[in-house]
Amino acid sequence: STSDLSSSSTTAFATEPTESEVPEPLITAPPTSARRIICKRCHDLVHYNRVSPHWHSEVTTDPNVLSFLQTKNPALVLHVFDLFDLPGSLLKGLANYIGKQHSVILVANKLDLLPKDVHLPRLATYVQRLMKDSGIFNIIGLHLVSARKVHGVRELCADLVRLRRTFKHRHCDIYMVGRANVGKSELVNAMLRISYGGSPHKVTAFPVPGTTSEMLKIPLERFKKVLVDPKIADAGTLFDTPGIFNNQSLVKYLTYPELKATWPPCHLKPLTYAVKPGQSICLGGMGRVDVLECPERLFFTVFSNVPVHITQITKAKAMIEAMAQGESTVLQPPVMDKSRAAIFPTMRFISSHTLSNDHSTMACTDVYFAGLGWLAIAGRFDRAVVHLFSAGGLGCGLRPP
Ligand code: GDP
């Protein structure tokens, strides 16, 4: 993932090298027409899941790494974000980092993770409202896609081709920006898959933030008819930029196996739990909502792959205290032992909220846990009081349902 895809034959994107270019000790496999040469880091990631235990300290958290765009000619910027981690995957104030001359297309990725019955127009309206609040402007389009399932990607490409024919964007470059792990590289792969029909060319996409460690530069002609008009000479380039890790994301406390286990493998299957006053609903050992007051019960619909535990508030507190001493492994992740307990942040109180809901079936609010999912609070009630907690006091709050 660290290579310039436009150049030499020893890149992650290489086509077949000639015999004389192949360094003898490295290549032992017989020559094939579809041989793919990748760097050792990508090989270790993809084939051995070899991930640095300090992966979270190796990713950039500073959106200023995109400031090089301020001096570039007007371009199309694809702001990719993750529908599973809204609003944690938005780059607030994007124009301030990249310059105001560019046009931004929003690409809401991982649509496949949402329940099948999601109402797409309502989802699009929700995303647009969120964007207004986040101060991102110059927005000229929104696409809901699934890079993994190659859903909506053709429409996105068609839109890019159309825009690159207009006077303002004629033959301009395309930049893919976004937070780490939102699926930028997977989106490049989806475009390549459409161009080549199951192409051997691909960039490394992996569930650990920071996989793309440098900017990848891919000539648009690689995308054949999908992104460029074959009849016109077009020197445009697509740039896949390294993701900016959200320092508020709770996944930063997880080891790779834990992180992997929290990833929903396919459509989220929301489950609804009834929680009575005096009870806590815990999302593993990463987050907790205490129900202090409510008429009879509150309904929590959980959109997360993290195991849920419901118990009395006093018991939840005792469990979390034991966990902080490395003496309890009931709430997972994290898988706690004494040595990890010494460095793992304690669960902290974040905020208290008084809620009401006059609708019996619709949720009144979501409690989000950045990177891990969210809980929707529903049921008809005049007054309920909830307290929110999360590991290290990070990445948790209320958002519109
Ligand atoms: P990047 O850091 O933004 O380049 O993210 P990657 O492309 O490396 O993707 C991060 C993880 O998200 C990988 O495990 C991908 O397989 C996964 N991913 C990317 N796009 C999708 C998608 O549309 N659906 C699902 N379910 N997973 C995706």
Side-chain angles (χ1 to χ4, degrees), residues 63-102:
N64 275 316
V65 295
L66 296 174
S67 60
F68 73 94
L69 273 162
Q70 286 174 357
T71 55
K72 299 283 179 196
N73 289 335
L76 287 170
V77 172
L78 302 188
H79 176 10
V80 186
F81 56 92
D82 181 350
L83 283 167
F84 178 64
D85 193 18
L86 275 172
S89 62
L90 295 181
L91 282 169
K92 292 190 178 156
L94 183 68
N96 299 332
Y97 300 115
I98 64 169
K100 299 188 165 72
Q101 71 274 36
H102 307 298

Side-chain angles (χ1 to χ4, degrees), residues 109-110 112-113 146-148 181-186 205-207:
N109 188 29
K110 307 196 188 177
D112 59 300
L113 291 183
S146 164
R148 184 175 282 175
N181 236 26
V182 294
K184 297 180 293 304
S185 302
E186 197 76 90
F206 200 69

Side-chain angles (χ1 to χ4, degrees), residues 17-181:
T18 63
E19 289 263 335
S20 58
E21 281 176 302
V22 177
E24 228 6 272
L26 279 179
I27 306 294
T28 50
T32 69
S33 58
R35 185 189 292 152
R36 176 171 176 242
I37 301 177
I38 62 171
C39 73
K40 183 172 185 306
R41 178 171 168 271
C42 290
H43 185 269
D44 284 354
L45 272 177
V46 174
H47 295 287
Y48 299 109
N49 290 346
R50 208 169 282 155
V51 176
S52 161
H54 310 293
W55 62 264
H56 52 271
S57 58
E58 291 166 8
V59 284
T60 179
T61 54
D62 182 8
N64 275 316
V65 295
L66 296 174
S67 60
F68 73 94
L69 273 162
Q70 286 174 357
T71 55
K72 299 283 179 196
N73 289 335
L76 287 170
V77 172
L78 302 188
H79 176 10
V80 186
F81 56 92
D82 181 350
L83 283 167
F84 178 64
D85 193 18
L86 275 172
S89 62
L90 295 181
L91 282 169
K92 292 190 178 156
L94 183 68
N96 299 332
Y97 300 115
I98 64 169
K100 299 188 165 72
Q101 71 274 36
H102 307 298
S103 303
V104 177
I105 298 175
L106 303 172
V107 184
N109 188 29
K110 307 196 188 177
L111 186 60
D112 59 300
L113 291 183
L114 299 191
K116 277 186 184 154
D117 58 355
V118 66
H119 190 270
L120 293 182
R122 204 180 296 153
L123 180 62
T125 311
Y126 184 94
V127 171
Q128 274 158 349
R129 204 173 49 211
L130 210 65
M131 289 301 154
K132 262 194 204 146
D133 302 341
S134 70
I136 302 172
F137 59 95
N138 271 7
I139 298 172
I140 57 166
L142 165 68
H143 286 263
L144 304 174
V145 307
S146 164
R148 184 175 282 175
K149 304 273 179 199
V150 198
H151 179 94
V153 182
R154 253 176 223 283
E155 292 77 358
L156 170 65
C157 292
D159 207 17
L160 291 173
V161 170
R162 182 187 60 78
L163 286 165
R164 291 183 76 252
R165 283 199 192 119
T166 59
F167 178 71
K168 185 170 176 199
H169 303 290
R170 195 145 201 91
H171 295 179
C172 70
D173 289 332
I174 301 173
Y175 290 86
M176 241 181 234
V177 305
R179 292 220 174 263
N181 236 26

